[in-house]
């Protein structure tokens, strides 16, 4: 498979596959990187697509550099990348994982997207933060007062982030979308994803025994079979 490493708006990127007028933008989640798109790209390329994957802030080649991995930094970057993509490809689609889906929906709400695949998407960030506050036994008043509160599960609660999520919920999402999630997702309850799917007419597939991160051999097998079926089915 052909690959080309480059920069888009100073963002490290990999373009997978031979020249085509169809492309998927691959947006990873927390802890991911542009290289993780390889398995998805191997499938997409078979169906005549190219795949463009990027490193979001503080990930991959950008792990030790500014800006931070926060929506007010990530979303403008994604808008810039998508504008460049629309200048170079006729048909533009989207694959996004976890928080990458939330960033993408906020960034691309008014942009033309042919089709989307979301894996374990964060569809309600405010709800997720409230859950994390409950896990950490932190009240809204406490968070407002202290602004930043580290937790014992590796996340830092942020008042600024919470207010952003509260003021920036997903109000519109028109792109044809298929979603894969696990019934044991500990971050986003299935009921929340199901409600989102009904509201925005998404096709939802739930893996029995699946978690938020698809990482075991069995989970990855389900994931890539789902991807393959999506390409065979089309939109």
């Amino acid at each position: 498979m052909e690959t080309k490493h480059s920069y888009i708006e100073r963002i490290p990127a990999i373009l997978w596959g031979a020249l085509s007028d169809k492309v998927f933008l691959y947006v990873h989640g927390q802890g991911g990187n542009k290289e993780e798109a390889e398995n998805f790209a191997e499938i997409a390329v078979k169906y005549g697509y190219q795949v463009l994957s990027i490193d979001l802030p503080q990930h991959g080649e950008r792990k030790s550099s500014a800006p931070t991995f926060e929506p007010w930094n990530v979303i403008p970057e994604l808008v810039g990348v998508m504008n460049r993509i629309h200048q170079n490809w006729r048909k533009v689609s989207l694959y996004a994982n976890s928080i990458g889906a939330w960033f993408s929906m906020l960034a691309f709400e008014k942009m033309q997207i042919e089709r989307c695949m979301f894996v374990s998407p964060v569809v309600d960030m405010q709800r997720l933060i409230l859950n994390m506050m409950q896990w950490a036994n932190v009240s809204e008043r406490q968070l407002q007062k202290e602004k930043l509160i580290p937790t014992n599960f590796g996340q830092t609660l942020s008042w600024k982030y919470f207010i952003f999520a509260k003021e920036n919920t997903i109000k519109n999402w028109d792109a044809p979308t298929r979603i894969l999630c696990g019934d044991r997702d500990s971050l986003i309850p299935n009921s929340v994803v199901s409600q989102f799917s009904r509201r925005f007419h998404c096709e939802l597939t739930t893996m029995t025994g699946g978690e938020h991160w698809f990482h075991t051999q069995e989970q990855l097998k389900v994931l890539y079979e789902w991807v393959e079926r999506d390409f065979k089915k089309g939109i």
Side-chain angles (χ1 to χ4, degrees), residues 11 29 31 41 45 60 76-77 81 113 129 151 161 167 189 204 209-211 214 228-229:
I11 299 168
V45 166
E77 286 194 356
V81 169
I113 298 177
I129 295 173
T151 69
Y161 206 125
E167 294 176 349
L204 175 61
E211 302 167 274
F214 282 66
E228 187 88 42
R229 285 197 305 272

Side-chain angles (χ1 to χ4, degrees), residues 9-235:
E9 305 290 333
R10 300 184 179 180
I11 299 168
I14 302 176
L15 180 61
W16 311 79
L19 183 65
S20 172
D21 64 349
K22 302 184 296 184
V23 69
F24 263 88
L25 172 62
Y26 184 106
V27 183
H28 64 73
Q30 186 170 4
N33 56 54
K34 63 186 180 301
E35 285 78 15
E36 76 175 41
E38 182 174 5
N39 289 334
F40 172 77
E42 286 179 349
I43 299 172
V45 166
K46 290 192 305 182
Y47 293 89
Y49 285 83
Q50 291 182 285
V51 175
L52 182 71
S53 57
I54 59 174
D55 283 331
L56 295 178
Q58 295 188 315
H59 288 73
E61 294 181 40
R62 310 173 71 192
K63 196 165 188 176
S64 302
S65 61
T68 55
F69 187 62
E70 293 169 308
W72 44 89
N73 296 320
V74 177
I75 291 169
E77 286 194 356
L78 287 175
V79 170
V81 169
M82 186 60 84
N83 284 333
R84 286 281 298 275
I85 289 173
H86 275 290
Q87 293 171 10
N88 291 280
W89 282 273
R90 186 172 63 87
K91 292 187 176 182
V92 179
S93 299
L94 172 67
Y95 178 104
N97 185 35
S98 187
I99 194 174
W102 181 63
F103 290 146
S104 295
M105 285 186 284
L106 291 177
F108 308 143
E109 177 185 358
K110 297 179 181 179
M111 294 188 175
Q112 180 64 37
I113 298 177
E114 294 286 326
R115 58 193 289 201
C116 299
M117 295 185 220
F118 289 158
V119 179
S120 303
V122 175
V123 297
D124 188 340
M125 179 57 76
Q126 181 184 356
R127 170 78 173 268
L128 176 55
I129 295 173
L130 285 170
N131 286 344
M132 289 193 292
M133 289 167 63
Q134 187 175 16
W135 301 338
N137 196 28
V138 172
S139 67
E140 285 191 39
R141 180 174 295 182
Q142 181 183 358
L143 186 58
Q144 183 179 17
K145 180 181 178 180
E146 298 186 32
K147 306 304 181 189
L148 293 171
I149 300 178
T151 69
N152 59 9
F153 47 83
Q155 300 293 331
T156 297
L157 297 170
S158 161
W159 177 251
K160 182 180 179 181
Y161 206 125
F162 175 67
I163 294 301
F164 183 96
K166 191 174 183 178
E167 294 176 349
N168 292 273
T169 58
I170 308 302
K171 298 181 178 66
N172 298 293
W173 187 248
D174 297 328
T177 300
R178 293 193 173 110
I179 296 174
L180 174 66
C181 66
D183 67 350
R184 296 182 182 176
D185 192 323
S186 60
L187 294 184
I188 308 297
N190 285 171
S191 59
V192 174
V193 181
S194 295
Q195 183 180 26
F196 175 91
S197 298
R198 289 192 298 271
R199 180 183 177 189
F200 295 110
H201 310 290
C202 306
E203 181 182 302
L204 175 61
T205 300
T206 303
M207 177 190 174
T208 302
E211 302 167 274
H212 186 75
W213 300 110
F214 282 66
H215 64 284
T216 68
Q217 184 175 356
E218 180 185 4
Q219 291 166 357
L220 291 173
K221 181 175 183 290
V222 169
L223 169 60
Y224 293 118
E225 286 178 349
W226 174 78
V227 170
E228 187 88 42
R229 285 197 305 272
D230 186 274
F231 277 104
K232 288 181 179 179
K233 184 183 296 185
I235 293 285

